[in-house]
Amino acid sequence: MSQDAISLINRLHGAYSRCIDNGQLESWPDFFEENCIYKITTADNYAQGLEAGVIFANSRGMLRDRVASLREANIYERHAYRHFLSQPWIVSEDGDEIKSETSFFVARIMRDGTTDVYATGRYMDVFAVNGGAPKIRERIVICDSSRFDTLLALPL
Amino acid sequence: MSQDAISLINRLHGAYSRCIDNGQLESWPDFFEENCIYKITTADNYAQGLEAGVIFANSRGMLRDRVASLREANIYERHAYRHFLSQPWIVSEDGDEIKSETSFFVARIMRDGTTDVYATGRYMDVFAVNGGAPKIRERIVICDSSRFDTLLALPL
Amino acid sequence: MSQDAISLINRLHGAYSRCIDNGQLESWPDFFEENCIYKITTADNYAQGLEAGVIFANSRGMLRDRVASLREANIYERHAYRHFLSQPWIVSEDGDEIKSETSFFVARIMRDGTTDVYATGRYMDVFAVNGGAPKIRERIVICDSSRFDTLLALPL
């Protein structure tokens, strides 16, 4: 578990959070590899080994489609998010791949100014690190709560 | 205040949070030395120099007993926690001992999916660092709020 | 974007948060240069390029005055704060100046023990780093919510 891997992932987490929190959703798919896994599920489903997630995408194109529909539905503009991430926990470093786990807490700020806890949970991540900035190969977002607002379930 | 000490403690904080947040309570006492101090108190009590805490343990055995009673009471299973910790503030580094202070924020996720702020406050820690992974020699958990749910006051 | 700059700013953020969260408001202006900018505004105002902020100060003396009035009004004593900051995002490093952006989440703990989300947002900072501890040259505090308690709008 090198300090370098932690710094590298901290930086990616920072850029990723900033992209969403500053509302630049169109750039969000660029954090992923072309062939990627992005899945949102709940802790209960995950513990029971249930495959079905709230959201599932296996290509960058699918992520772009999601962003487009969110923009069309005009949902995203109505509120803002603020991500807080723990230090990444390095599970393994193997050649060009780092696996890690990171806790997240996302606050949601509604247009009327109300702020609530939108979601807490953990990212189970696989990063590709072929020199240059690392890309997300796989991100399983495990939400602690099973009460979940599916429509909005993207920017996690 | 070396960056190494910060990295070392960040890693211990990460493992400690993960242990509790993933529900592996039985492993929690292993983060402590055999002869340890673990105390939960409130900011008001602490400021007034009151000794009595909400929880007090001075051995790893006492921590194991607490875990056993929590499991028996079946309280812990009914909800989950998610810890968020600030960067540790190194107070001193002296031979095999590091003292530090770290802010914490713990979200609690009830079985029905409701998420609330369970506790905020700071850890005042003494770590033993005799090579290998550091152990907790003393952890005083100072909760900001004095409204406190004693029954559940363990996994902080 | 050096790791050193990140460590340096992490440390300043830690000291700054600790100062406020431990109630040592009188020391808070010392984190700033004599000629500094400290401004609190909202994300909406900021996006629209509106100059007017909720709070504006352009010298350390003005910050001292604010602390004095908060103390007189006896507002600050009635509750406590707890700051949580993301890793700083380094925007630029140029000679003796570092610019960065950091997300913040501040919990407020009322005297009756209630804890709520006081504010979320981001710091847009300029730090002076002439050897020794860095000082804040400029801090624009951009609050996500526009619902804002002006009276209390200081310790961010």
Side-chain angles (χ1 to χ4, degrees):
Chain A
M1 300 177 207
S2 75
Q3 195 55 35
D4 284 354
I6 293 175
S7 302
L8 204 69
I9 295 174
N10 260 332
R11 217 160 292 172
L12 185 143
H13 279 334
Y16 183 100
S17 302
R18 228 169 145 254
C19 167
I20 298 172
D21 297 349
N22 290 353
Q24 294 151 352
L25 262 200
E26 276 70 18
S27 307
W28 172 71
D30 297 336
F31 287 97
F32 293 82
E33 285 197 304
E34 188 55 52
N35 294 308
C36 57
I37 300 285
Y38 178 78
K39 188 169 157 179
I40 302 184
T41 188
T42 64
D44 275 353
N45 278 4
Y46 186 79
Q48 293 168 40
L50 295 180
E51 278 302 305
V54 178
I55 297 279
F56 178 85
N58 60 9
S59 73
R60 209 194 269 156
M62 284 179 74
L63 298 177
R64 290 198 204 288
D65 288 349
R66 285 285 306 178
V67 171
S69 17
L70 278 177
R71 287 296 194 202
E72 255 167 59
N74 198 24
I75 287 167
Y76 189 74
E77 282 79 3
R78 277 184 248 145
H79 41 253
Y81 296 88
R82 185 65 54 191
H83 283 67
F84 294 92
L85 272 52
S86 71
Q87 290 268 335
W89 177 262
I90 308 295
V91 175
S92 67
E93 284 184 77
D94 185 12
D96 76 330
E97 225 177 61
I98 299 176
K99 295 186 182 179
S100 74
E101 226 180 284
T102 306
S103 289
F104 64 84
F105 161 74
V106 183
R108 181 169 57 172
I109 302 95
M110 309 303 286
R111 289 305 300 166
D112 71 355
T114 325
T115 302
D116 60 8
V117 177
Y118 174 54
T120 64
R122 58 190 158 125
Y123 295 138
M124 295 193 63
D125 290 323
V126 182
F127 299 103
V129 283
N130 315 298
K135 294 272 180 187
I136 302 172
R137 185 162 286 169
E138 186 178 308
R139 165 156 290 185
I140 316 286
V141 183
I142 305 174
C143 293
D144 290 324
S145 172
S146 40
R147 221 202 256 175
F148 210 80
D149 195 343
T150 326
L151 253 181
L152 307 175
L154 190 62
L156 284 175
Chain B
M1 298 181 210
S2 74
Q3 195 55 35
D4 285 353
I6 292 175
S7 303
L8 205 67
I9 295 175
N10 259 334
R11 217 160 293 172
L12 186 142
H13 280 335
Y16 182 101
S17 303
R18 228 171 145 253
C19 167
I20 298 172
D21 297 350
N22 290 353
Q24 294 150 353
L25 262 199
E26 277 69 19
S27 307
W28 173 71
D30 298 336
F31 287 97
F32 293 82
E33 284 197 305
E34 187 55 51
N35 294 308
C36 58
I37 300 285
Y38 179 77
K39 190 171 157 176
I40 303 183
T41 187
T42 65
D44 275 352
N45 278 5
Y46 186 79
Q48 293 169 42
L50 296 180
E51 278 302 305
V54 178
I55 297 278
F56 179 84
N58 62 7
S59 72
R60 209 193 269 156
M62 284 180 74
L63 297 177
R64 291 199 203 287
D65 289 349
R66 285 286 306 179
V67 171
S69 17
L70 278 177
R71 287 296 195 203
E72 256 167 57
N74 198 23
I75 287 166
Y76 189 76
E77 282 77 5
R78 274 184 251 144
H79 40 253
Y81 296 88
R82 185 65 53 192
H83 283 68
F84 295 91
L85 272 52
S86 72
Q87 289 268 335
W89 176 262
I90 307 295
V91 175
S92 67
E93 283 185 78
D94 186 12
D96 76 331
E97 225 177 62
I98 300 175
K99 294 185 182 179
S100 73
E101 227 180 283
T102 306
S103 289
F104 64 84
F105 161 74
V106 183
R108 181 169 56 173
I109 302 95
M110 309 303 285
R111 289 304 302 166
D112 70 355
T114 325
T115 302
D116 62 8
V117 178
Y118 173 55
T120 63
R122 57 189 158 127
Y123 295 138
M124 296 193 62
D125 290 323
V126 183
F127 299 104
V129 283
N130 315 298
K135 293 272 179 186
I136 302 173
R137 184 163 286 168
E138 187 179 308
R139 166 156 290 184
I140 316 286
V141 183
I142 304 174
C143 294
D144 290 324
S145 172
S146 40
R147 219 202 257 175
F148 210 80
D149 196 343
T150 326
L151 253 182
L152 306 176
L154 191 61
L156 284 175
Chain C
M1 300 179 208
S2 74
Q3 195 55 33
D4 284 354
I6 292 176
S7 302
L8 205 68
I9 295 175
N10 259 333
R11 218 160 293 172
L12 186 142
H13 279 335
Y16 182 100
S17 303
R18 228 172 145 250
C19 167
I20 298 172
D21 296 349
N22 291 352
Q24 295 150 352
L25 262 199
E26 277 70 19
S27 307
W28 172 71
D30 298 336
F31 288 97
F32 293 82
E33 284 196 306
E34 188 54 53
N35 294 307
C36 58
I37 300 285
Y38 179 78
K39 189 171 156 177
I40 303 184
T41 188
T42 64
D44 275 353
N45 279 4
Y46 187 80
Q48 292 168 43
L50 296 181
E51 277 302 304
V54 177
I55 298 278
F56 179 85
N58 61 8
S59 73
R60 210 194 268 157
M62 285 180 72
L63 297 178
R64 290 199 204 287
D65 289 349
R66 286 285 306 178
V67 171
S69 18
L70 278 177
R71 287 296 195 201
E72 255 166 59
N74 197 22
I75 287 167
Y76 189 74
E77 282 77 5
R78 276 186 250 142
H79 39 253
Y81 295 89
R82 185 65 54 192
H83 284 67
F84 294 92
L85 273 52
S86 72
Q87 291 269 334
W89 177 261
I90 307 296
V91 175
S92 67
E93 283 183 81
D94 185 11
D96 77 330
E97 226 176 62
I98 300 176
K99 295 186 181 179
S100 72
E101 227 179 284
T102 306
S103 289
F104 64 84
F105 161 74
V106 183
R108 181 169 56 172
I109 302 95
M110 309 304 284
R111 288 305 301 165
D112 71 354
T114 325
T115 302
D116 61 7
V117 178
Y118 174 55
T120 63
R122 59 189 157 128
Y123 296 138
M124 296 194 62
D125 290 322
V126 182
F127 299 102
V129 282
N130 315 296
K135 294 272 180 186
I136 302 172
R137 184 162 284 168
E138 187 179 308
R139 166 157 291 184
I140 316 286
V141 183
I142 306 174
C143 294
D144 290 324
S145 173
S146 40
R147 219 201 257 175
F148 210 81
D149 195 343
T150 325
L151 253 182
L152 306 176
L154 190 60
L156 284 175

PDB file of all heavy atoms in Angstrom, chain C residues 121-138:
ATOM      1  N   GLY C 121     -20.059  24.007   0.860  1.00  0.00           N
ATOM      2  CA  GLY C 121     -19.607  24.893  -0.205  1.00  0.00           C
ATOM      3  C   GLY C 121     -18.145  24.669  -0.498  1.00  0.00           C
ATOM      4  O   GLY C 121     -17.618  23.593  -0.248  1.00  0.00           O
ATOM      5  N   ARG C 122     -17.517  25.723  -1.068  1.00  0.00           N
ATOM      6  CA  ARG C 122     -16.089  25.585  -1.346  1.00  0.00           C
ATOM      7  C   ARG C 122     -15.342  26.872  -1.047  1.00  0.00           C
ATOM      8  O   ARG C 122     -15.881  27.960  -1.182  1.00  0.00           O
ATOM      9  CB  ARG C 122     -15.848  25.158  -2.795  1.00  0.00           C
ATOM     10  CG  ARG C 122     -16.404  26.127  -3.813  1.00  0.00           C
ATOM     11  CD  ARG C 122     -16.342  25.547  -5.228  1.00  0.00           C
ATOM     12  NE  ARG C 122     -17.317  26.199  -6.082  1.00  0.00           N
ATOM     13  CZ  ARG C 122     -17.019  26.742  -7.271  1.00  0.00           C
ATOM     14  NH1 ARG C 122     -15.786  26.702  -7.739  1.00  0.00           N
ATOM     15  NH2 ARG C 122     -17.959  27.342  -7.971  1.00  0.00           N
ATOM     16  N   TYR C 123     -14.107  26.686  -0.611  1.00  0.00           N
ATOM     17  CA  TYR C 123     -13.170  27.792  -0.441  1.00  0.00           C
ATOM     18  C   TYR C 123     -12.421  27.978  -1.744  1.00  0.00           C
ATOM     19  O   TYR C 123     -11.871  27.006  -2.274  1.00  0.00           O
ATOM     20  CB  TYR C 123     -12.113  27.459   0.615  1.00  0.00           C
ATOM     21  CG  TYR C 123     -12.579  27.252   2.029  1.00  0.00           C
ATOM     22  CD1 TYR C 123     -12.055  26.205   2.802  1.00  0.00           C
ATOM     23  CD2 TYR C 123     -13.487  28.115   2.624  1.00  0.00           C
ATOM     24  CE1 TYR C 123     -12.451  26.025   4.121  1.00  0.00           C
ATOM     25  CE2 TYR C 123     -13.885  27.938   3.957  1.00  0.00           C
ATOM     26  CZ  TYR C 123     -13.365  26.885   4.691  1.00  0.00           C
ATOM     27  OH  TYR C 123     -13.742  26.703   5.990  1.00  0.00           O
ATOM     28  N   MET C 124     -12.357  29.207  -2.255  1.00  0.00           N
ATOM     29  CA  MET C 124     -11.411  29.505  -3.331  1.00  0.00           C
ATOM     30  C   MET C 124     -10.325  30.350  -2.688  1.00  0.00           C
ATOM     31  O   MET C 124     -10.579  31.488  -2.287  1.00  0.00           O
ATOM     32  CB  MET C 124     -12.108  30.239  -4.460  1.00  0.00           C
ATOM     33  CG  MET C 124     -13.165  29.342  -5.082  1.00  0.00           C
ATOM     34  SD  MET C 124     -13.766  29.978  -6.673  1.00  0.00           S
ATOM     35  CE  MET C 124     -12.248  29.959  -7.639  1.00  0.00           C
ATOM     36  N   ASP C 125      -9.137  29.766  -2.572  1.00  0.00           N
ATOM     37  CA  ASP C 125      -8.085  30.352  -1.738  1.00  0.00           C
ATOM     38  C   ASP C 125      -6.857  30.786  -2.517  1.00  0.00           C
ATOM     39  O   ASP C 125      -6.504  30.169  -3.519  1.00  0.00           O
ATOM     40  CB  ASP C 125      -7.611  29.306  -0.712  1.00  0.00           C
ATOM     41  CG  ASP C 125      -8.638  29.007   0.362  1.00  0.00           C
ATOM     42  OD1 ASP C 125      -9.327  29.954   0.799  1.00  0.00           O
ATOM     43  OD2 ASP C 125      -8.736  27.837   0.774  1.00  0.00           O
ATOM     44  N   VAL C 126      -6.226  31.840  -2.008  1.00  0.00           N
ATOM     45  CA  VAL C 126      -4.869  32.196  -2.421  1.00  0.00           C
ATOM     46  C   VAL C 126      -4.019  32.237  -1.157  1.00  0.00           C
ATOM     47  O   VAL C 126      -4.348  32.944  -0.201  1.00  0.00           O
ATOM     48  CB  VAL C 126      -4.816  33.576  -3.111  1.00  0.00           C
ATOM     49  CG1 VAL C 126      -3.392  33.880  -3.580  1.00  0.00           C
ATOM     50  CG2 VAL C 126      -5.801  33.647  -4.270  1.00  0.00           C
ATOM     51  N   PHE C 127      -2.945  31.428  -1.138  1.00  0.00           N
ATOM     52  CA  PHE C 127      -2.061  31.369   0.019  1.00  0.00           C
ATOM     53  C   PHE C 127      -0.714  32.008  -0.298  1.00  0.00           C
ATOM     54  O   PHE C 127      -0.177  31.797  -1.397  1.00  0.00           O
ATOM     55  CB  PHE C 127      -1.802  29.915   0.433  1.00  0.00           C
ATOM     56  CG  PHE C 127      -3.042  29.181   0.830  1.00  0.00           C
ATOM     57  CD1 PHE C 127      -3.645  28.280  -0.044  1.00  0.00           C
ATOM     58  CD2 PHE C 127      -3.626  29.404   2.064  1.00  0.00           C
ATOM     59  CE1 PHE C 127      -4.796  27.599   0.311  1.00  0.00           C
ATOM     60  CE2 PHE C 127      -4.784  28.730   2.435  1.00  0.00           C
ATOM     61  CZ  PHE C 127      -5.369  27.830   1.555  1.00  0.00           C
ATOM     62  N   ALA C 128      -0.177  32.735   0.676  1.00  0.00           N
ATOM     63  CA  ALA C 128       1.183  33.266   0.567  1.00  0.00           C
ATOM     64  C   ALA C 128       2.124  32.308   1.275  1.00  0.00           C
ATOM     65  O   ALA C 128       1.893  31.960   2.443  1.00  0.00           O
ATOM     66  CB  ALA C 128       1.256  34.640   1.223  1.00  0.00           C
ATOM     67  N   VAL C 129       3.136  31.839   0.573  1.00  0.00           N
ATOM     68  CA  VAL C 129       4.048  30.848   1.164  1.00  0.00           C
ATOM     69  C   VAL C 129       5.496  31.312   1.128  1.00  0.00           C
ATOM     70  O   VAL C 129       6.319  30.795   0.387  1.00  0.00           O
ATOM     71  CB  VAL C 129       3.927  29.475   0.455  1.00  0.00           C
ATOM     72  CG1 VAL C 129       2.699  28.736   0.907  1.00  0.00           C
ATOM     73  CG2 VAL C 129       3.894  29.647  -1.070  1.00  0.00           C
ATOM     74  N   ASN C 130       5.813  32.330   1.949  1.00  0.00           N
ATOM     75  CA  ASN C 130       7.187  32.855   1.997  1.00  0.00           C
ATOM     76  C   ASN C 130       7.998  32.146   3.075  1.00  0.00           C
ATOM     77  O   ASN C 130       8.523  32.788   3.979  1.00  0.00           O
ATOM     78  CB  ASN C 130       7.172  34.356   2.324  1.00  0.00           C
ATOM     79  CG  ASN C 130       6.130  35.101   1.527  1.00  0.00           C
ATOM     80  OD1 ASN C 130       6.228  35.155   0.310  1.00  0.00           O
ATOM     81  ND2 ASN C 130       5.117  35.660   2.201  1.00  0.00           N
ATOM     82  N   GLY C 131       8.119  30.851   3.025  1.00  0.00           N
ATOM     83  CA  GLY C 131       8.792  30.136   4.124  1.00  0.00           C
ATOM     84  C   GLY C 131       7.927  30.250   5.357  1.00  0.00           C
ATOM     85  O   GLY C 131       7.066  31.119   5.445  1.00  0.00           O
ATOM     86  N   GLY C 132       8.156  29.360   6.312  1.00  0.00           N
ATOM     87  CA  GLY C 132       7.318  29.367   7.517  1.00  0.00           C
ATOM     88  C   GLY C 132       5.912  28.926   7.151  1.00  0.00           C
ATOM     89  O   GLY C 132       5.670  28.437   6.042  1.00  0.00           O
ATOM     90  N   ALA C 133       4.990  29.112   8.083  1.00  0.00           N
ATOM     91  CA  ALA C 133       3.611  28.685   7.844  1.00  0.00           C
ATOM     92  C   ALA C 133       2.968  29.585   6.803  1.00  0.00           C
ATOM     93  O   ALA C 133       3.145  30.800   6.836  1.00  0.00           O
ATOM     94  CB  ALA C 133       2.828  28.732   9.151  1.00  0.00           C
ATOM     95  N   PRO C 134       2.229  29.030   5.868  1.00  0.00           N
ATOM     96  CA  PRO C 134       1.553  29.854   4.867  1.00  0.00           C
ATOM     97  C   PRO C 134       0.452  30.700   5.502  1.00  0.00           C
ATOM     98  O   PRO C 134      -0.089  30.353   6.544  1.00  0.00           O
ATOM     99  CB  PRO C 134       0.946  28.827   3.905  1.00  0.00           C
ATOM    100  CG  PRO C 134       0.935  27.527   4.618  1.00  0.00           C
ATOM    101  CD  PRO C 134       1.984  27.593   5.673  1.00  0.00           C
ATOM    102  N   LYS C 135       0.161  31.828   4.876  1.00  0.00           N
ATOM    103  CA  LYS C 135      -0.920  32.705   5.334  1.00  0.00           C
ATOM    104  C   LYS C 135      -1.976  32.794   4.234  1.00  0.00           C
ATOM    105  O   LYS C 135      -1.662  32.643   3.044  1.00  0.00           O
ATOM    106  CB  LYS C 135      -0.388  34.119   5.608  1.00  0.00           C
ATOM    107  CG  LYS C 135       0.604  34.220   6.764  1.00  0.00           C
ATOM    108  CD  LYS C 135      -0.118  34.446   8.090  1.00  0.00           C
ATOM    109  CE  LYS C 135       0.878  34.554   9.255  1.00  0.00           C
ATOM    110  NZ  LYS C 135       0.172  34.622  10.549  1.00  0.00           N
ATOM    111  N   ILE C 136      -3.179  33.110   4.645  1.00  0.00           N
ATOM    112  CA  ILE C 136      -4.246  33.278   3.661  1.00  0.00           C
ATOM    113  C   ILE C 136      -4.211  34.706   3.115  1.00  0.00           C
ATOM    114  O   ILE C 136      -4.311  35.669   3.874  1.00  0.00           O
ATOM    115  CB  ILE C 136      -5.634  33.000   4.283  1.00  0.00           C
ATOM    116  CG1 ILE C 136      -5.685  31.584   4.860  1.00  0.00           C
ATOM    117  CG2 ILE C 136      -6.737  33.190   3.239  1.00  0.00           C
ATOM    118  CD1 ILE C 136      -6.937  31.279   5.667  1.00  0.00           C
ATOM    119  N   ARG C 137      -4.032  34.823   1.812  1.00  0.00           N
ATOM    120  CA  ARG C 137      -4.036  36.138   1.147  1.00  0.00           C
ATOM    121  C   ARG C 137      -5.467  36.471   0.726  1.00  0.00           C
ATOM    122  O   ARG C 137      -5.911  37.592   0.791  1.00  0.00           O
ATOM    123  CB  ARG C 137      -3.107  36.054  -0.060  1.00  0.00           C
ATOM    124  CG  ARG C 137      -2.895  37.329  -0.821  1.00  0.00           C
ATOM    125  CD  ARG C 137      -1.642  37.247  -1.711  1.00  0.00           C
ATOM    126  NE  ARG C 137      -0.412  37.374  -0.930  1.00  0.00           N
ATOM    127  CZ  ARG C 137       0.826  37.120  -1.397  1.00  0.00           C
ATOM    128  NH1 ARG C 137       0.987  36.690  -2.646  1.00  0.00           N
ATOM    129  NH2 ARG C 137       1.878  37.287  -0.628  1.00  0.00           N
ATOM    130  N   GLU C 138      -6.175  35.447   0.302  1.00  0.00           N
ATOM    131  CA  GLU C 138      -7.555  35.639  -0.145  1.00  0.00           C
ATOM    132  C   GLU C 138      -8.349  34.364   0.077  1.00  0.00           C
ATOM    133  O   GLU C 138      -7.868  33.275  -0.269  1.00  0.00           O
ATOM    134  CB  GLU C 138      -7.551  35.981  -1.645  1.00  0.00           C
ATOM    135  CG  GLU C 138      -8.900  36.361  -2.191  1.00  0.00           C
ATOM    136  CD  GLU C 138      -8.840  36.726  -3.681  1.00  0.00           C
ATOM    137  OE1 GLU C 138      -8.009  37.577  -4.071  1.00  0.00           O
ATOM    138  OE2 GLU C 138      -9.600  36.117  -4.450  1.00  0.00           O
TER     139      GLU C 138
END
